Amino acid sequence: MDIKVVKFGGSSLADAKQFQKVAAIIKEDPARRFVVPSAPGKRFSGDDKVTDLLYSCYDHASKGENIDEEFEKIKSRYNDIISELKLDFSLESDFVQIKNAFLCHAGRDFAASRGEYLNGKILAAYLGFPFIDAASVIFFHEDGTFNEKLTNTILGAKLRNLENAVVPGFYGSMPNDTIRTFSRGGSDITGSIVSRAVNADLYENWTDVSGFLMADPRIVSSPKVIRVITYQELRELSYMGATVLHEDAIFPVRFAGIPINIRNTNDPEAPGTMIVPYSKHPDYESKEIITGIAGKKGFCTITLEKGKMNDEVGFGRRVLQVFENHNICFEHLPSGIDTMCVILNNHDLEGIRDMLVNEICQAVEPDSVSVDDNIALIAVVGRGMVKAKGTAYRIFKAIAEADVNIRMIDQGSSEKNIVIGVGEEDFEVAMRAIYSEFAKDNLIR
Ligand code: ASP
């Protein structure tokens, strides 16, 4: 029988009603054997996420302030779920221990991790599945990076002997047995790690949207849901700001070739989005040219000009060395015969911009250097673009017709993405223009 790992996000487990939906989904398919829960999320707009409450409560405790009221609020989130589900189960002794640990300054990561820990305990009791504390099966190295080898061995061995289990998301343990969390939204990573450890056939990631959208719905109205996307395409789109899944969540499953299915707990019939390792499988081939469009503001360009730059061996290396010395990654590197342009994240240049420009001048003695701010980047991504003719033409025509000036163009050598830089003020208009160009032909799902 297939093995499915199912991860449920915070909104899927925000209250007792959501727990009931989650249990129905799990019970409906016996392949859904291993469950990874998040902490309770928002029940309505303006509500608090339990993880945020935990961080805030811990911060007050570490300043020596009274946390009674805040801690009661956290307790009541869990106690409401327990009583509404009519469970004969109590977290009282855990609450006492956790509150003491807060008062003894047990660490911010420990504090945040309790959101998943406690929710996992309730879910395990509700489903009748064993609860496996993530601290005993998910490990980090001394430097805080994920210890894949040790985790796969211990977690794999543990789950191999179990028919079902609940493993809380978001955290694991350090070599000195303290708790460490992944970055925010990190339960997605735990789901991926568990999938890898049990060699799952499918990793289902249940959330509150019916899949990955073609474009940001805050910019494009009612964008279509992407049915199938490759890991690589997803990487490109998430890097450029599209969020549904944590950016790092694909790595553990990617190498094992395990597909991820994004599903909606509030609309379980919807097929959602399949994230797949490659597009060769007949079900995964793209009939469309564009899979998705994503973008971000907040970039700048540093443009260098120098006569006979193309003859100067090592020019590019010396420029990039300056950024490396400051531990700055560059985003894109479009170049001409005697020009070189480095696209960077504005954020990385804060406070050191003039110094960087000086160092570049010393390193390569350019004829001129200019820094151009307020650039937005738009990535148009699609495995269907490979060998398709006229895609770039259509993108640029759409942007021109929207009266937007293009500041930079970069086509990935994979031919699966075209990145366009526009002024920040033109960002939304350009996004909508590209989307509607392809949507009008029904080339987009
Ligand atoms: N509860 C954590 C957060 O809010 C992790 C997660 O939900 O994935 O970021």
Side-chain angles (χ1 to χ4, degrees):
M1 189 186 54
D2 280 1
I3 300 180
K4 291 182 187 169
V5 170
V6 283
K7 180 260 166 180
F8 290 89
S11 57
S12 300
L13 291 165
D15 59 21
K17 264 209 188 74
Q18 292 300 91
F19 265 71
Q20 284 162 345
K21 291 184 195 169
V22 164
I25 289 166
I26 295 167
K27 297 282 158 141
E28 195 218 307
D29 182 353
R32 293 181 176 136
R33 289 172 49 191
F34 302 109
V35 185
V36 176
S38 280
K42 294 184 184 192
R43 294 159 293 184
F44 43 84
S45 105
D47 193 19
D48 294 306
K49 285 179 162 196
V50 166
T51 309
D52 292 327
L53 294 176
L54 287 161
Y55 277 125
S56 155
C57 186
Y58 183 77
D59 290 344
H60 288 132
S62 31
K63 285 185 209 143
E65 292 166 13
N66 185 300
I67 58 165
D68 290 351
E69 205 177 299
E70 237 176 336
F71 200 81
E72 280 308 308
K73 198 166 162 190
I74 296 167
K75 274 173 68 175
S76 70
R77 287 293 300 263
Y78 292 104
N79 283 337
D80 286 355
I81 297 173
I82 293 171
S83 68
E84 281 171 46
L85 292 177
K86 302 191 172 49
L87 290 177
D88 181 17
F89 170 80
S90 166
L91 289 172
E92 251 352 281
S93 59
D94 285 298
F95 291 143
V96 172
Q97 270 180 24
I98 293 169
K99 191 169 181 186
N100 279 335
F102 275 34
L103 296 171
C104 299
H105 308 171
R108 225 170 168 256
D109 279 14
F110 168 82
S113 74
R114 297 305 87 183
E116 272 67 13
Y117 173 85
L118 295 169
N119 226 22
K121 280 194 147 184
I122 302 180
L123 188 60
Y126 186 46
L127 296 168
F129 288 0
F131 171 79
I132 309 291
D133 186 356
S136 65
V137 286
I138 292 186
F139 304 100
F140 292 91
H141 292 290
E142 200 77 63
D143 66 1
T145 54
F146 171 57
N147 186 337
E148 189 184 343
K149 209 164 157 218
L150 184 64
T151 301
N152 270 340
T153 312
I154 308 256
L155 178 62
K158 181 88 193 174
L159 297 184
R160 206 164 300 130
N161 298 319
L162 293 170
E163 189 52 33
N164 302 100
V166 172
V167 183
F170 193 36
Y171 70 94
S173 61
M174 292 289 286
N176 66 0
D177 282 342
T178 56
I179 296 287
R180 181 174 172 89
T181 60
F182 294 105
S183 56
R184 294 298 303 264
S187 298
D188 284 342
I189 307 176
T190 309
S192 186
I193 291 168
V194 173
S195 303
R196 167 83 183 88
V198 299
N199 205 9
D201 296 277
L202 184 65
Y203 167 24
E204 287 182 344
N205 187 296
W206 291 81
T207 170
D208 53 6
V209 290
S210 294
F212 212 85
L213 298 174
M214 283 270 331
D216 187 336
R218 289 164 303 183
I219 300 172
V220 169
S221 79
S222 315
K224 298 179 183 175
V225 173
I226 300 171
R227 290 275 160 260
V228 180
I229 185 169
T230 62
Y231 290 145
Q232 196 191 359
E233 289 171 318
L234 183 75
R235 268 283 292 157
E236 308 250 8
L237 291 173
S238 349
Y239 182 71
M240 287 304 289
T243 50
V244 168
L245 191 69
H246 191 296
E247 237 198 283
D248 293 338
I250 49 180
F251 293 108
V253 287
R254 181 174 187 159
F255 298 108
I258 301 166
I260 307 173
N261 190 192
I262 307 284
R263 300 285 294 268
N264 188 350
T265 302
N266 305 317
D267 183 12
E269 302 307 319
T273 299
M274 274 302 253
I275 307 167
V276 299
Y278 38 71
S279 55
K280 300 243 161 31
H281 189 291
D283 291 350
Y284 302 155
E285 258 169 42
S286 177
K287 290 169 208 68
E288 287 77 28
I289 292 178
I290 302 299
T291 304
I293 307 162
K296 273 200 277 200
K297 293 183 180 176
F299 297 95
C300 67
T301 58
I302 298 187
T303 305
L304 308 171
E305 283 192 37
K306 188 173 185 186
K308 291 198 158 259
M309 180 191 290
N310 66 323
D311 281 345
E312 202 175 313
V313 175
F315 187 97
R317 182 189 50 74
R318 289 201 297 280
V319 173
L320 296 183
Q321 186 69 53
V322 173
F323 297 110
E324 188 175 339
N325 292 345
H326 289 273
N327 207 18
I328 294 174
C329 290
F330 68 90
E331 302 285 330
H332 295 275
L333 208 56
S335 60
I337 304 291
D338 287 339
T339 59
M340 175 177 176
C341 177
V342 190
I343 316 258
L344 300 142
N345 201 318
N346 266 336
H347 193 262
D348 290 331
L349 266 58
E350 260 165 43
I352 56 168
R353 178 180 293 229
D354 292 345
M355 180 163 72
L356 280 174
V357 171
N358 278 337
E359 288 178 23
I360 292 171
C361 289
Q362 277 169 22
V364 293
E365 297 175 348
D367 298 336
S368 72
V369 190
S370 58
V371 184
D372 207 355
D373 273 318
N374 305 329
I375 304 281
L377 296 180
I378 299 174
V380 184
V381 175
R383 60 196 184 281
M385 273 165 32
V386 182
K387 300 202 173 77
K389 292 178 189 135
T391 315
Y393 162 73
R394 297 182 62 196
I395 295 170
F396 299 135
K397 182 168 73 83
I399 296 177
E401 281 170 4
D403 201 21
V404 169
N405 176 33
I406 295 176
R407 311 261 286 265
M408 191 276 305
I409 302 164
D410 196 359
Q411 178 179 20
S413 48
S414 66
E415 272 191 79
K416 290 176 191 148
N417 71 336
I418 294 178
V419 178
I420 299 133
V422 296
E424 284 185 345
E425 65 287 0
D426 291 328
F427 175 63
E428 285 83 3
V429 175
M431 288 277 283
R432 286 194 277 271
I434 301 168
Y435 180 83
S436 50
E437 165 62 26
F438 289 90
K440 84 178 174 209
D441 284 3
N442 268 346
L443 283 168
I444 295 172
R445 280 154 283 207

